[in-house]
Amino acid sequence: MDRLTNTIRPYAWGSTTALPALLGVEPTGEPQAELWMGAHPGAPSRVDRGAGERSLAEVIAADPEGELGAATVAKFGPGLPFLFKILAAGAPLSLQVHPDLAQAKAGFEDEERRGIPIDAGHRNYKDPNHKPEMICAITTFAGLCGFRSPQASADLFEGLGVGSLKPYADLLRAHPEEAALREVLTAVLTADREQMARTVAETAAAAAHLGGEYATYAALAHEYPGDPGVLAAMLLNHVRLQPGEALFLGAGVPHAYFDGLGVELLANSDNVLRAGLTPKHVDVPELLKIVRFEPSDPAVMRPEGDGGEEVYEAPIDEFRLSRFLLAPGGAPHVLPDGAPQILLCTAGSAQAGDLALTPGESAFVSAGEKVELSGNGTVFRATVVV
């Protein structure tokens, strides 16, 4: 079992206080957006087995079956199938979607063939993997997830009383749902930039005046003035998770996170297609290939369990998220030992084998290693389904 040394990613949307508060350290004044746990090449965790720190990716590559187990390697290959994060949003993240596995492989191979550098700003596919993900709230956590019904979005547009929004509302009412959503998103993202900036400014002013459910869009326009993502956001469901609640996001589902601290577990990928709310590259034709134009209600999840391990069920095998609410004096939980796992403490304290974990600290457990978990706090467990 290894204590992990993890990297914090300083993206501009990150909170300046949430991660320092969790870790019990002084804020630096700079945004701290994501703490990564795992073996993704972008920021692999580090372990020390007595000869100095090494990348967890290197440790796994040296003995995949020993670290991951034969069943995991047979099913997913010789790399850790998931990436675990703590996400601390202080401002809206980009409105985005993720590709499915076939799309990711095709897109990655195409960009490799065209010689686009992996770190190029206009590169869409950083790896050949899909990126289903789950976000579980540590604090109240707000964001967008999936399309509303076109009729509901048309009502929202019309309620602002902005003349330049009327064509979008008319389109939403005039066509079958999938066609309507595709037409309006395409129209918003391909509109003349100067004209769109004026429309977003008028929308923001009306939203600020009306308040209520419109306040979100006024805030988005304040963060991203003139950005077409403000109008695109009005096509999506607004979601507010309470601590312990979660969302699963499959391929092609548009989403954005606004504010809060959460645990995020995803397939080991960094592939993102952006639709707005960002100064970064937006590849509209590629995005429209990936988006699934299907209205749906966000399925807010709560863990299922009977006082032991509480599981967040998801239709994916690359990762499995569960939670332990540890109480002092309780019997230790003996963890299954057939697959790799990462344990993350988010509150109180925990004893995992011979490692003591406090909030923000984590440990990697190799397949075949038996661990007992006890303490007085909250521990999230990330593993795979084999």
Side-chain angles (χ1 to χ4, degrees):
M1 170 180 246
D2 301 283
R3 185 182 301 278
L4 294 177
T5 301
N6 302 307
T7 297
I8 293 175
R9 309 304 294 264
Y11 305 136
W13 50 261
S15 168
T16 58
T17 58
L19 270 175
L22 180 73
L23 297 169
V25 299
E26 287 296 316
T28 64
E30 299 298 319
Q32 297 183 329
E34 295 180 349
L35 184 147
W36 284 26
M37 296 160 283
H40 191 279
S45 299
R46 300 174 300 284
V47 300
D48 189 342
R49 294 183 174 177
E53 283 194 338
R54 296 177 63 199
S55 156
L56 180 60
E58 293 175 358
V59 169
I60 292 171
D63 183 12
E65 289 200 0
E67 301 295 338
L68 306 178
T72 299
V73 173
K75 189 168 185 177
F76 303 110
L80 188 67
F82 61 82
L83 175 61
F84 207 15
K85 299 179 182 180
I86 302 176
L87 189 151
L93 285 70
S94 59
L95 180 57
Q96 60 189 256
V97 297
H98 307 306
D100 64 24
L101 189 56
Q103 291 165 337
K105 287 180 176 178
F108 180 80
E109 290 170 2
D110 174 64
E111 291 186 332
E112 287 288 280
R113 186 169 54 251
R114 289 190 282 140
I116 301 175
I118 201 73
D119 58 352
H122 63 290
R123 175 110 188 194
N124 292 315
Y125 299 95
K126 303 298 178 69
D127 52 69
N129 201 10
H130 62 165
K131 193 185 177 187
E133 65 184 48
M134 182 177 288
I135 183 74
C136 180
I138 297 175
T139 66
T140 301
F141 196 95
L144 302 171
C145 177
F147 287 107
R148 310 168 180 258
S149 76
Q151 298 298 321
S153 290
D155 290 343
L156 198 63
F157 281 124
E158 289 172 347
L160 285 162
V162 174
S164 55
L165 295 179
K166 186 177 185 303
Y168 302 129
D170 290 345
L171 284 172
L172 288 166
R173 296 195 190 281
H175 299 286
E177 289 186 334
E178 181 176 333
L181 292 169
R182 180 182 292 275
E183 278 201 55
V184 172
L185 184 63
T186 302
V188 165
L189 297 182
T190 57
D192 176 80
R193 296 295 294 191
E194 290 187 8
Q195 181 181 344
M196 176 55 62
R198 289 192 294 272
T199 297
V200 171
E202 292 171 2
T203 298
H209 176 72
L210 290 169
E213 66 176 326
Y214 288 107
T216 293
Y217 310 107
L220 290 179
H222 177 75
E223 292 283 345
Y224 298 102
D227 193 310
V230 175
L231 301 192
M234 296 174 68
L235 300 172
L236 307 184
N237 298 295
H238 192 190
V239 184
R240 183 173 293 274
L241 300 177
Q242 298 305 312
E245 294 181 337
L247 287 173
F248 174 78
L249 298 159
V253 176
H255 60 280
Y257 302 142
F258 290 166
D259 180 71
L261 187 68
V263 169
E264 188 179 34
L265 183 57
L266 55 150
N268 193 31
S269 172
D270 199 25
N271 286 327
V272 175
L273 280 298
R274 298 176 182 85
L277 307 181
T278 179
K280 294 183 179 179
H281 176 62
V282 176
D283 185 335
V284 175
E286 191 67 22
L287 171 82
L288 294 174
K289 294 180 190 175
I290 303 302
V291 174
R292 294 183 179 175
F293 292 93
E294 301 168 357
S296 62
D297 292 325
V300 175
M301 305 167 60
R302 294 168 183 84
E304 299 179 4
D306 56 1
E309 184 178 23
E310 301 178 331
V311 179
Y312 294 88
E313 296 290 350
I316 195 76
D317 288 347
E318 280 95 334
F319 61 75
R320 176 182 182 271
L321 181 67
S322 60
R323 181 181 71 169
F324 292 89
L325 301 178
L326 305 172
H333 300 277
V334 180
L335 303 185
D337 61 355
Q341 51 193 312
I342 291 178
L343 306 176
L344 166 67
C345 179
T346 58
S349 61
Q351 191 71 32
D354 59 0
L355 288 184
L357 300 177
T358 57
E361 293 186 328
S362 56
F364 174 73
V365 184
S366 301
E369 191 170 359
K370 295 186 183 298
V371 174
E372 290 189 354
L373 182 64
S374 60
N376 181 20
T378 302
V379 172
F380 285 89
R381 175 176 179 254
T383 186
V384 300
V385 179
V386 291

